[in-house]
Amino acid sequence: MNIITNPDKLRGFEKHVKVEKVSRRAILKSLGIAGGLVLAAPVTSRQAFAAYQTGAGKMPHGTVVDPHIFVAIAPDGTVTILAHRSEMGTGVRTSLPLIVAEEMEADWSRVKVQQAPGNEAKYGNQDTDGSRSTRHYLLPMRQIGASARAMLEAAAAKRWNVAVSEVKAVNHEVVHSASSRRLGFGDLAADAAKESVPAIETLKLKDPKNFRYLGKGEVSIVDLRDITMGAAHYGIDTRLPGMKYAVIARPPVTGGKLVSFDSSDAMKVSGVEKVMEIKGWPWPSKFQPLGGVAVIARNTGAAIKGRDALKVVWDDGDNGKYDSVTYRTELEEAARKPGLVVRKEGDVDAALKRADKVVVGEYYLPHLAHVSMEPPVAVANVTGDKAEIWAPVQSPGGTREDVAKTLGIPEDNVTVNVTLLGGGFGRKSKCDYALEAALLSKELGVPVKVQWTREDDVRHDFLHTVSAERIEAGLDKNGKVIAWRHRSVAPTIASTFAAGAVHAAPFELGMGLIDMPFEIANIQCENPEAAAHTRIGWFRSVSNIPRAFAVQSMVGELAHATNRDQKDMLLELIGSPRIVNLSSVKDPWNYGEPYDSYPIDTARLRKVVEEVADKGGWGRSVPKGHGLGIAVHRSFVSYIATIVEVSVDDKGKLSVPRVDTAIDCGTYVNPERIQSQIEGAAIMGLSLAKYGEISFKDGKVQQGNFDDFPVIRIDEAPLVTNVYIIEPGPETPPSGVGEPGVPPFAPALINAIFAATGKRIRALPIGKQLEI
Amino acid sequence: MIKVKINGQEHGWDGDPDLPLLWFLRDEVGLTGTKFGCGQALCGACTVMVDKQAVRSCITSVSDVVDREVVTIEGLHPTGDHSVQKAWRQTNVPQCGYCQSGQIMQAAALLTENPKPSHDQIREAMSGNICRCGCYQRIENAIHLASTGV
Ligand code: FES
Ligand code: FES
């Protein structure tokens, strides 16, 4: 069972515990069985005129919609808009400020974006994860922009002594058309700042048909020019006067400890200045550092060379026995036995018994490392009881809290400057590298940069979980699926927060297991126990990867077993257009979103399948050795279907000529960035399907760099990835984009390989399985 | 004291002559446009040009570039308007952007050597440069665009 010893202290985990309660209440409400009590949302997250509700207000610190905080207008008319979420490649640093600019009628060419430091009391929640930014902030950002516009209009009306209804903000100025007078935003800035912030329910949002920027995809990311010139500032690019460079030797086994070290050779390396122990915390310890030996030098190269010369003795501890081969067998055996029932409709045992045919699929997916292109890195400058951090973090607010706690100083004394992130994918939601820098800077009394090498990154990651998935599907004599049992076994992320957690947390169950959308009379989902032996963490799309792989592979297997087209089988399983009733599930989680705004809508699920089949040429004839595969998955409350065309040559070499993906992410901001996220998701999906495997022997990660943990390169990339974005209905709430593209890719690929070769791959990575 | 020429400027170095050029550029000279991704010539993030050839600075020592011309992303074009840089912007190539200095330097070196590379030649020449965000389709399109004049 889950033993969460001290949930209040575990911010990341607590966050999910909180959300889960709320969404359950919302679901009960949507089903008409709620009690009378409705929680009052915090004032800062009021959405009085909102057409839809989101879970934003229930995140730590909710949302803030004060234009004084987010918008500044200089006398020359330059509008500065704060970006309070982290940029890791999704385009959020551009798209959220763009929403504000749109609503306030600012001219984007006169807008500057400034990155906010970590301060959630001031800016609201800053955890850039869970594909939440647009879905939680589209409305608040519009409200901020609309407030700013109203204040500018009020200031102009006063200046001209006319009714505010006679004036209108248009393209960076306020116009009184009756008298043809106009005043620039810069001229009005000082007066507008004195206006009171209008009540949210009085705000008038722009009619979407008048949008100049939103939904158009014509605005490039704000950092584009800097990136192409090498001038964009990532975490690794921070340099301070007197700064020292550190690399750290960490215990090779999770939970291991330093016994002793000999630094005499390391100290002989030119440029090395000091070798010292750095404190570690016993496992599991959330995001606290692992400890070890730090080598301090005048540059990174010297620090790395110094570390190579270190002699260290470690005590590996209990996880020294962790072995991926044995562990796989354990997981697969657990998946063959009953486990904790987490969803139950009808009587699956009876239905399986009377089934005409039972198809069983056992699937295995190994650990994955994030390998963001920029390895973890952070700079800290600790002076007295104050600390300043510069780091590429997805969690600026959480980092601030954790630095304060680790150093034992008040949070107000900690400044976290958020740089650009050279990729994140969930790794940079964990701020251990910033904590390491803070500890060393405190100790040394100078600014310190801690640089992780690629080997550090691969060997000390918070890995994507490893899992065994087993599905039994029972068919009646007409080939209709009447029973579905899905067992999912994987070490849980909760194990990184508390010892003894062996069952999936609600947020993990809710990622493709209990939210399975098929219309089947007898459904049972089970979650047998699995103990963790390494740090498990969020990886882009999280548990959706193994669940979508299993469920959508099984659809392919069922199509084959009943001699039907994959797409037809898929649509039959999805069944009638309806809102899926999850009343049998204790805690449906639903990505923290209220179910009435974000239900599982099978009409939308069907629509992406039909759209991709239509536009992506499902059923087209393909050359010999080629095959088409399809998969669909709802995750992060978006709906995505993918068709992969694969080619397998006579030696078993695989290539991907074409990918087609349809996405329904509701109301969207920047279709061009959605397209780039989906293109990237195909690459990440192909990487994990073809190569992705982190394995353990004697408790140690067996891989270290891109030679033994390969990712897809340009010569293996799909020749073309086509993206079709479903036009949202009016007021369709926005939903996730960053993550949902990944889960359907691998099963679509595997179904395509089956179509091409007749070979069914059930364990990832594909590796050499196709080689002849 | 070793002397090396970077972006047309001379820099002296009296430290370890074996120091990888990458860390000399980034930590000692302060040219941070060149990135670290693997340290083992596996990813291309650290690509610079040495005598017009693309070179992985993570496995090149400072002493290896004595009497040679090193060009980094900062020195590729005085205003950042090299045809490759312009094509990159027109095609909106980057996601996180971290790999892009290396990609651009590799692409620029390719076009110097082969002004009109084919699809296969692009894929071959760029295969040492990893983009974890997966911008490959756009990288290829941008190189075609740069090769046909932006
Ligand atoms: S850092 Fe030099 S090739 Fe990767
Ligand atoms: S753009 Fe992020 S690694 Fe290439």
Side-chain angles (χ1 to χ4, degrees), chain A residues 373 422-423, chain B residues 93-100 103 130-135:
Chain A
M373 215 59 226
Chain B
V93 172
Q95 289 182 35
C96 82
Y98 187 82
C99 71
Q100 302 296 347
Q103 305 275 5
I130 292 173
C131 176
R132 180 60 163 158
C133 297
C135 304

Side-chain angles (χ1 to χ4, degrees), chain A residues 88 220 225 228 234 236-237 239 298-300 305 370 454 672-673 676 679-680 705 712-713 717 721, chain B residues 16 26-28 35 37-38 42 79 81 85 89 92 94-97 123 127 132-133 136-138:
Chain A
M88 65 192 107
S220 293
R225 176 168 269 275
T228 63
Y234 298 86
I236 195 175
D237 299 329
R239 302 171 84 237
R298 67 168 283 168
N299 61 54
T300 316
K305 200 168 170 181
H370 300 78
R454 179 61 61 198
E672 188 277 323
R673 285 293 94 180
S676 71
E679 290 165 9
N705 211 317
I712 293 298
R713 295 165 181 272
T721 298
Chain B
D16 183 359
R26 293 187 50 84
D27 299 349
E28 299 289 348
K35 301 300 191 228
C38 70
L42 297 166
T79 57
D81 292 316
Q85 290 169 310
R89 295 193 287 266
N92 286 310
Q95 289 182 35
C96 82
R123 287 193 155 213
S127 66
R132 180 60 163 158
C133 297
Y136 298 127
Q137 184 170 323
R138 294 177 190 222

